[in-house]
Amino acid sequence: MFDRNVNAQVYVNQVLADGIVSFMQNNFPHCDGKLQQDGARPHTTRVTQQFLAQRNINVLEWAAMSPDMSPIDHLWDELKQCVYARAQPPTNVNQLREAVIEEWENIP
């Protein structure tokens, strides 16, 4: 979870460099895997695309505005419904963070 907006530099440094790149390299050593991203601005910037290309990370071509094709979007919807259906919905950021973590761990 991030305590601020995620721009391209944050995405590259704290998501891709800190985890995704090593995951892809360890699981797809022959560069035959494909990273799935959506059309979020940090995913589509030149700095992100160059970073991935320099590390031979293939990106799945993705149609714009196609959330129904993305399995993770359905999971985000379920998580949101679970958080807001709680007996006592969160009323501040810390409660929201705790609720999201708890509900995430409850999803089978």
Side-chain angles (χ1 to χ4, degrees):
M1 289 190 186
F2 292 94
D3 291 330
R4 60 184 173 152
N5 289 338
V6 176
N7 61 24
Q9 209 56 55
V10 170
Y11 181 64
V12 166
N13 293 336
Q14 296 182 23
V15 176
L16 296 177
D18 283 353
I20 299 298
V21 169
S22 62
F23 174 86
M24 294 296 289
Q25 291 171 342
N26 291 335
N27 290 284
F28 304 101
H30 304 292
C31 300
D32 55 346
K34 292 208 178 217
L35 175 64
Q36 179 183 347
Q37 306 180 106
D38 61 18
R41 186 72 183 133
H43 302 172
T44 61
T45 63
R46 188 176 313 145
V47 67
T48 298
Q49 298 306 310
Q50 288 174 344
F51 178 88
L52 292 168
Q54 290 168 351
R55 285 150 185 85
N56 295 316
I57 305 294
N58 298 311
V59 178
L60 181 66
E61 293 295 325
W62 202 246
M65 303 301 290
S66 58
D68 55 320
M69 295 174 59
S70 176
I72 195 68
D73 284 329
H74 299 291
L75 184 57
W76 295 141
D77 288 340
E78 182 176 340
L79 180 61
K80 183 168 63 172
Q81 290 173 12
C82 291
V83 168
Y84 288 115
R86 293 169 71 95
Q88 293 194 330
T91 58
N92 62 49
V93 173
N94 289 332
Q95 289 177 3
L96 177 60
R97 180 179 285 117
E98 290 174 15
V100 167
I101 292 169
E102 287 175 17
E103 296 300 340
W104 177 264
E105 291 173 352
N106 290 333
I107 295 174

